[in-house]
Amino acid sequence: MRCGSGIEARQVDELFINIDPIQAGGRLTADAMKAVIAYGDGYSVCDNCRKPNRLDYIAKPPIAEFHKDLATWLNMDSARVVPGARRGFQAVAHTCVKKGDPVLLTSLSHYTEFLAVEEAGGVACEIPANDGHIVTADAAAATIENAKRRYGRAPVLAFIDHVDYQYGNVHDVQGIAKVAHQYDIPVLCNGAYTVGIMPVDGKDLSADFVVGSGHKSMAAPAPSGVLATTAEREKEVFRTTTISGDLTGRKFGIKEPELMGCTLMGVTLMGMMASFLHVKERVKHFENELANNRIVTESLLSIHGTKVLSEYPRKHPLTRVDTTGSFDTVAQTHKKRGFFFSGSLVENGVHGIIPGATRIWKFNTYGMTTVQAHHLAKVFVTIAEENGLKIS
Amino acid sequence: MRCGSGIEARQVDELFINIDPIQAGGRLTADAMKAVIAYGDGYSVCDNCRKPNRLDYIAKPPIAEFHKDLATWLNMDSARVVPGARRGFQAVAHTCVKKGDPVLLTSLSHYTEFLAVEEAGGVACEIPANDGHIVTADAAAATIENAKRRYGRAPVLAFIDHVDYQYGNVHDVQGIAKVAHQYDIPVLCNGAYTVGIMPVDGKDLSADFVVGSGHKSMAAPAPSGVLATTAEREKEVFRTTTISGDLTGRKFGIKEPELMGCTLMGVTLMGMMASFLHVKERVKHFENELANNRIVTESLLSIHGTKVLSEYPRKHPLTRVDTTGSFDTVAQTHKKRGFFFSGSLVENGVHGIIPGATRIWKFNTYGMTTVQAHHLAKVFVTIAEENGLKIS
């Protein structure tokens, strides 16, 4: 099926159970799809932009209200929408980090956090995750002390993933923030896998910044995201422009340079907004997501030789498994090699595993129904049985 | 009409002739609307992302091919998509400008160019437009010499608007670039109002960077845009990441820090791509747009007391007019004050003039049919006649 200009129409989420690690939380709600259709045109949210001419002041559609609601929902003081979580990282890094400054990251940090540090001229100091792949407050304290010895000063910012992209593990943001604050280090909580998925309370986490991803976890189109902060830090990261034209004397009102002025002027923002009521509701039922994940993960663990590399029991539906001792043994002699596995999944209505992967791979059960979870659980076992693997 | 979650469905471009200065070129094509529906979900273009895992390498949908086509079309060597022209400005400014560096802008530069300079720590040096509101090579030369005297060195970058947002005038990018290059100043041609509207040949303009806006002028959803550059400059602005994890030794492949890695992972890019064939075609018929603009502008000029502030005859459909001597004289005594004008336009099926404006205002005839241009021309004259203004 083509959707014009020779582009094939994507039907992944219409035809399959999609367990792609990064896609499960960004599937649009029906309301978002309607908003996408109504606000597809370029600058579609600017019809009623009036002075002071800034996106987050537009009353119709209710963008101003949405910004307030976003901040309240995250229990932070102020929020802005951004073109992806990474642009939130960039704004914060550019605000807090100067050339040569040490910056805390973790051994599980996402590449976009590293790029934000690189762009700002900072130096990466990774907090090591422990053997269980969890980043702890103790490890943060040790890394800060190491950085102080090495650079003669404490790091100027900490990027802490609430849930990391590799294992989907929940890290101790609160404990790490407590330690970091003793050194006056502001903490950015990277909620790309949590904001819109599970409850996130920025104040409770002691976060100075909470960043979320619209297209990863808030059922919104790409690129979209949120950067929320405290009353203290908003003066820094959301400071207004001070540059002026040397000749004309022009000034540029209350535009915010870290955001490059307005950010999401159309479909991306409206998709986020239309999904927001649903997203607020769905995080309240996160336990159901873990229950569905358990159905699937237990099925995988029933296949001899399969390991769950993520923390267990799971606290997040993004899960990393090692099937070197199970599906990969089949791949060794299968005529389709590793592709037998992804191929069989697709034949059974499951999409989102990297084609050919049979050793270490990730899946995300987020957003599926219990019926779908049972189907997926059965598919894994069936593929295993059909290929002679032992089930217990 | 509501589209869910209490959001009113926008129907501006369905129900009206939209002459909003910033919206006319960003209206989606039918193919883009189809792509928006098919690729609304979050990370919808990432299904077939394979090593080296970068957006512009994805073969299906044909994103890699689109990037090559974009560069060729602009007659530049390399191109990337960005979340709005402003993010292209930011990437270039951050690459070229260090703290305290003088940067050339013009007295007609857009605020986002100033913000990009501010973010990079640069100092603005505006090239003055002449009395006809045109920025010339001579003025650029004088401003460079002034900057050299004042800062002890030449500016490090020049932002030159191909067509500015205030008057819609066409500026001498080629002549200015010739002068700038004598001082080794790279030139960014801001094509936010031209790329996708009229033919743009980056090499012919001698531009080092060409930036375009998807949502302003390429019939694409927001935020989207393009940053194209030369073989020489791509090594700088599209350099790949060099940061690494101090503990894990992790590196981050060929991700580009100025772009923060991948940029448009879904609906925005697919909208741009789906419109691209149409956009390539429409720029070839730019003369028709000027002919339509002439119909409308001549009608306005037939109303006594009305002035066109933009260069005349028009070379671009974005046009600034002064109706202080015509419609504003009516507003002085009208019970609806200035709102009589915008209100009458809406009643006659015309949208996009700032409500209440009757002195200096802008409109954009881009994309309308000749029948619509005649309708609009007649509407202006009719409103004038109904309010006792003299027509010649």
Side-chain angles (χ1 to χ4, degrees):
Chain A
M1 202 174 92
R2 305 248 146 203
C3 60
S5 286
I7 293 168
E8 205 172 318
R10 179 178 188 261
Q11 298 184 88
V12 169
D13 286 287
E14 289 79 0
L15 302 180
F16 296 92
I17 297 175
N18 186 1
I19 59 172
D20 187 296
I22 65 171
Q23 292 182 344
R27 211 170 2 227
L28 296 193
T29 60
D31 278 336
M33 184 52 83
K34 290 181 203 166
V36 158
I37 294 168
Y39 287 86
D41 292 329
Y43 279 112
S44 58
V45 306
C46 307
D47 294 327
N48 301 292
C49 180
R50 304 284 174 260
K51 282 183 180 167
N53 299 106
R54 206 173 73 189
L55 184 69
D56 56 314
Y57 279 73
I58 293 174
K60 190 184 161 195
I63 296 170
E65 189 187 331
F66 175 64
H67 276 78
K68 287 194 185 72
D69 290 350
L70 261 181
T72 304
W73 176 61
L74 294 169
N75 197 16
M76 297 294 277
D77 299 316
S78 186
R80 299 289 184 276
V81 293
V82 287
R86 61 195 71 201
R87 296 295 184 169
F89 305 153
Q90 183 185 33
V92 174
H94 195 268
T95 299
C96 299
V97 181
K98 287 187 186 56
K99 198 166 166 57
D101 280 346
V103 179
L104 287 180
L105 295 149
T106 84
S107 60
L108 300 173
S109 286
H110 194 251
Y111 84 88
T112 52
E113 296 169 304
F114 276 90
L115 292 191
V117 173
E118 180 173 0
E119 268 283 280
V123 180
C125 303
E126 290 175 302
I127 308 170
N130 64 19
D131 291 346
H133 309 293
I134 306 280
V135 181
T136 67
D138 284 348
T143 306
I144 294 169
E145 285 297 333
N146 283 342
K148 278 184 69 179
R149 275 191 293 276
R150 188 163 168 194
Y151 298 100
R153 61 194 194 281
V156 298
L157 176 64
F159 284 93
I160 308 298
D161 290 18
H162 193 186
V163 161
D164 72 273
Y165 78 101
Q166 294 191 40
Y167 294 89
N169 288 352
V170 180
H171 304 285
D172 183 14
V173 176
Q174 191 184 45
I176 295 167
K178 203 172 163 187
V179 169
H181 287 163
Q182 289 168 10
Y183 296 85
D184 292 325
I185 305 169
V187 173
L188 182 151
C189 170
N190 174 6
Y193 280 99
T194 56
V195 172
I197 298 293
M198 52 192 262
V200 174
D201 181 325
K203 292 270 165 71
D204 184 58
L205 292 170
S206 294
D208 299 275
F209 306 98
V210 174
V211 173
S213 170
H215 50 266
K216 196 171 258 161
S217 298
M218 298 174 76
S224 61
V226 56
L227 165 59
T229 188
T230 60
E232 182 192 352
R233 297 290 173 182
E234 74 168 310
K235 290 172 208 145
E236 301 165 12
V237 70
F238 300 150
R239 71 189 179 281
T240 54
T241 171
T242 57
I243 199 170
S244 61
D246 65 326
L247 194 74
T248 58
R250 283 190 290 162
K251 288 181 167 294
F252 305 95
I254 58 164
K255 303 286 188 180
E256 296 163 336
E258 291 298 357
L259 304 179
M260 289 302 296
C262 303
T263 50
L264 309 181
M265 316 79 165
V267 72
T268 41
L269 174 56
M270 294 311 293
M272 272 183 99
M273 285 171 57
S275 279
F276 189 51
L277 281 179
H278 305 283
V279 161
K280 281 203 287 190
E281 187 59 30
R282 78 186 192 182
V283 300
K284 296 178 191 164
H285 307 288
F286 183 60
E287 284 304 321
N288 298 347
E289 302 294 336
L290 295 183
N292 286 339
N293 180 274
R294 202 172 308 127
I295 293 166
V296 175
T297 311
E298 283 177 1
S299 137
L300 278 165
L301 285 173
S302 76
I303 303 164
H304 283 212
T306 297
K307 294 176 201 158
V308 171
L309 301 179
S310 304
E311 64 182 327
Y312 198 80
R314 302 291 307 122
K315 296 178 183 167
H316 189 278
L318 169 66
T319 302
R320 186 182 182 94
V321 291
D322 182 349
T323 53
T324 309
S326 53
F327 293 116
D328 193 58
T329 63
V330 178
Q332 299 304 319
T333 56
H334 201 286
K335 64 179 176 184
K336 291 185 185 167
R337 292 171 296 134
F339 295 92
F340 93 91
F341 183 55
S342 45
S344 298
L345 285 169
V346 167
E347 279 165 25
N348 284 282
V350 177
H351 200 281
I353 299 301
I354 294 173
T358 46
R359 294 178 190 181
I360 293 172
W361 49 279
K362 297 186 285 186
F363 65 93
N364 196 340
T365 54
Y366 190 75
M368 63 180 59
T369 63
T370 304
V371 171
Q372 288 174 324
H374 281 295
H375 173 80
L376 179 58
K378 196 177 150 198
V379 165
F380 281 133
V381 167
T382 304
I383 296 173
E385 283 176 336
E386 284 172 1
N387 289 281
L389 295 176
K390 218 168 142 188
I391 313 291
S392 61
Chain B
M1 202 174 93
R2 305 248 146 203
C3 60
S5 286
I7 292 169
E8 204 172 318
R10 180 178 188 261
Q11 298 184 87
V12 168
D13 287 287
E14 289 79 1
L15 303 180
F16 296 92
I17 298 175
N18 185 1
I19 59 172
D20 188 296
I22 65 171
Q23 292 182 344
R27 211 169 2 227
L28 296 193
T29 59
D31 278 337
M33 183 53 82
K34 291 182 203 166
V36 158
I37 293 169
Y39 288 85
D41 291 329
Y43 280 110
S44 58
V45 306
C46 308
D47 294 328
N48 300 294
C49 180
R50 303 286 175 262
K51 281 183 181 164
N53 299 106
R54 206 173 72 190
L55 184 69
D56 56 314
Y57 279 73
I58 293 174
K60 189 183 161 194
I63 296 171
E65 188 187 331
F66 175 64
H67 277 78
K68 288 194 184 74
D69 290 349
L70 262 181
T72 304
W73 177 60
L74 294 170
N75 197 16
M76 298 294 277
D77 299 315
S78 186
R80 299 288 185 276
V81 294
V82 286
R86 62 194 71 200
R87 296 296 184 168
F89 305 153
Q90 184 185 32
V92 173
H94 195 268
T95 299
C96 299
V97 181
K98 287 188 185 55
K99 199 167 165 56
D101 280 345
V103 179
L104 287 180
L105 296 149
T106 83
S107 60
L108 299 173
S109 287
H110 193 252
Y111 85 87
T112 52
E113 295 169 304
F114 277 89
L115 292 191
V117 173
E118 179 173 1
E119 268 284 278
V123 180
C125 303
E126 291 175 301
I127 308 170
N130 64 18
D131 291 347
H133 310 292
I134 306 280
V135 181
T136 66
D138 284 348
T143 306
I144 294 169
E145 284 297 331
N146 284 342
K148 278 185 70 179
R149 275 191 294 275
R150 190 163 166 194
Y151 298 100
R153 60 194 194 281
V156 298
L157 176 65
F159 283 94
I160 308 297
D161 291 18
H162 193 186
V163 161
D164 71 274
Y165 79 101
Q166 294 192 40
Y167 294 89
N169 289 352
V170 180
H171 304 285
D172 183 14
V173 176
Q174 191 184 45
I176 295 167
K178 203 171 162 186
V179 168
H181 287 163
Q182 289 169 9
Y183 297 84
D184 292 325
I185 305 170
V187 172
L188 182 153
C189 170
N190 174 6
Y193 280 100
T194 55
V195 172
I197 298 293
M198 52 192 261
V200 174
D201 181 326
K203 292 271 166 71
D204 184 57
L205 292 170
S206 293
D208 299 274
F209 306 98
V210 173
V211 173
S213 170
H215 50 266
K216 195 172 260 159
S217 298
M218 298 174 78
S224 61
V226 56
L227 166 58
T229 187
T230 60
E232 182 191 353
R233 298 289 174 183
E234 74 168 311
K235 291 171 208 145
E236 300 165 13
V237 70
F238 299 149
R239 71 189 179 282
T240 54
T241 172
T242 57
I243 199 170
S244 61
D246 66 324
L247 195 74
T248 57
R250 283 191 289 163
K251 289 183 166 292
F252 305 94
I254 58 164
K255 303 286 189 181
E256 295 163 336
E258 291 298 356
L259 304 179
M260 290 300 296
C262 303
T263 50
L264 310 181
M265 315 81 165
V267 72
T268 41
L269 174 56
M270 295 311 293
M272 273 183 98
M273 284 170 57
S275 279
F276 189 51
L277 281 179
H278 304 282
V279 162
K280 281 203 287 190
E281 186 59 29
R282 78 186 192 182
V283 300
K284 296 178 191 164
H285 307 287
F286 184 60
E287 284 303 320
N288 298 347
E289 302 294 335
L290 295 183
N292 286 339
N293 181 273
R294 202 172 308 127
I295 293 165
V296 175
T297 311
E298 283 178 0
S299 136
L300 278 165
L301 285 173
S302 76
I303 303 164
H304 283 212
T306 297
K307 293 176 202 158
V308 172
L309 300 179
S310 303
E311 65 181 326
Y312 198 80
R314 301 293 305 121
K315 295 179 183 167
H316 190 278
L318 169 65
T319 302
R320 187 182 182 95
V321 291
D322 182 349
T323 53
T324 308
S326 54
F327 292 116
D328 193 57
T329 64
V330 178
Q332 299 305 319
T333 56
H334 200 287
K335 64 178 178 184
K336 291 184 184 167
R337 293 171 296 136
F339 294 92
F340 93 91
F341 184 55
S342 44
S344 299
L345 285 169
V346 166
E347 278 164 25
N348 284 282
V350 177
H351 200 281
I353 299 300
I354 294 173
T358 46
R359 294 179 191 181
I360 293 172
W361 49 279
K362 297 186 286 187
F363 65 92
N364 195 340
T365 54
Y366 190 75
M368 63 179 58
T369 63
T370 304
V371 171
Q372 289 173 322
H374 282 296
H375 173 79
L376 179 58
K378 196 177 150 198
V379 165
F380 281 133
V381 166
T382 304
I383 296 173
E385 284 176 335
E386 283 172 1
N387 289 280
L389 295 175
K390 216 168 141 189
I391 313 291
S392 60

